[in-house]
Amino acid sequence: EIVMTQSPATLSVSPGERATLSCRASQSVSSNLAWYQQKPGQAPRLLIYGASTRATGIPARFSGSGSGTEFTLTISSLQSEDFAVYYCQQYNNWWTFGQGTKVEIK
Amino acid sequence: QLQLQESGPGLVKPSETLSLTCTVSGGSISSSSYYWGWIRQPPGKGLEWIGSIYYSGSTYYNPSLKSRVTISVDTSKNQFSLKLSSVTAADTAVYYCARHITIFGVVHWFDPWGQGTLVTVSS
């Protein structure tokens, strides 16, 4: 099983600042990586697939990068609605998720 | 737009079988471009893929749950279902259904998701 490790567990950021979230795979997943946003009491929402392609309707302030084992989700200027938990998911070999990074207001 | 809705009992006794159904609206479950999946999230924890099914009945199951999981599809009702047997408290979670995007026969990410349903395992 490919293990996905996200860091940090919690990220404290002020509105308007940049947030950088990391996701590491235990073995190469090529670019077969997706990112999701989950707000309290809601289902996850797809943000990014193919490591860097924004899903339909996702604002341009969200960007993804990386390949192989190291991936990054960047939120360029945090808006109030962006405070949430973010998960990465690999789909190179079965389907596994990271444990999540909580982005909270500083 | 496509919507998914989970339904089923919110309370299941230990050792019994958890049964949930996902109803798909706004699109056909028989599309060749998608599998249909179940994912769960224990309270306060992360996400775990349970299994996925194609409209033809072809399935993938999480190896860690495979011995207890059965996923089936009813194309006439545009629904797919999850059965998880011999449940324990560790199976308490919010259960989500989701469309599992398939491209050229390769299964990828999940989009969209249902709102989820909490299933508690307790006597």
Side-chain angles (χ1 to χ4, degrees):
Chain A
E1 174 183 314
I2 296 178
V3 177
M4 307 302 292
T5 302
Q6 293 185 241
S7 60
T10 303
L11 186 61
S12 298
V13 185
S14 299
E17 290 189 340
R18 182 186 197 91
T20 302
L21 290 67
S22 295
C23 175
R24 174 177 292 178
S26 61
Q27 64 188 78
S28 177
V29 298
S30 187
S31 294
N32 296 316
L33 186 105
W35 288 95
Y36 301 86
Q37 176 193 67
Q38 186 177 35
K39 297 179 181 179
Q42 296 186 17
R45 177 177 71 144
L46 177 70
L47 297 176
I48 300 281
Y49 61 89
S52 60
T53 301
R54 278 189 303 277
T56 302
I58 301 302
R61 64 180 181 273
F62 291 92
S63 62
S65 63
S67 66
T69 62
E70 301 284 344
F71 301 88
T72 300
L73 175 69
T74 302
I75 311 171
S76 59
S77 176
L78 272 160
Q79 307 297 303
S80 57
E81 61 266 29
D82 300 335
F83 292 96
V85 179
Y86 293 83
Y87 293 95
C88 61
Q89 175 234 326
Q90 67 82 20
Y91 47 91
N92 192 68
N93 187 344
W94 298 88
W95 303 275
T96 53
F97 295 86
Q99 80 279 20
T101 290
K102 181 180 181 180
V103 178
E104 65 176 22
I105 300 175
K106 187 175 182 179
Chain B
Q1 74 279 19
L2 190 86
Q3 292 186 316
L4 300 93
Q5 178 69 57
E6 304 88 351
S7 59
L11 181 64
V12 181
K13 289 182 169 54
S15 80
E16 296 190 344
T17 296
L18 177 160
S19 296
L20 295 174
T21 295
C22 181
T23 301
V24 179
S25 58
S28 173
I29 203 169
S30 299
S31 169
S32 61
S33 298
Y34 309 114
Y35 269 67
W36 303 89
W38 288 98
I39 305 101
R40 69 180 181 178
Q41 184 173 37
K45 296 187 178 180
L47 300 160
E48 178 182 37
W49 168 72
I50 299 170
S52 299
I53 191 166
Y54 197 55
Y55 75 93
S56 64
S58 175
T59 53
Y60 293 106
Y61 294 140
N62 187 322
S64 69
L65 298 168
K66 185 175 183 177
S67 63
R68 298 195 292 130
V69 172
T70 302
I71 298 176
S72 58
V73 63
D74 186 337
T75 55
S76 67
K77 295 182 179 179
N78 230 31
Q79 294 176 334
F80 62 107
S81 298
L82 168 70
K83 291 188 185 298
L84 180 66
S85 64
S86 304
V87 297
T88 69
D91 295 309
T92 294
V94 175
Y95 286 76
Y96 295 100
C97 59
R99 186 174 63 178
H100 204 169
I101 305 300
T102 304
I103 302 173
F104 301 122
V106 180
V107 192
H108 297 292
W109 57 87
F110 301 93
D111 181 53
W113 299 52
Q115 66 184 29
T117 187
L118 175 63
V119 179
T120 301
V121 179
S122 175
S123 56

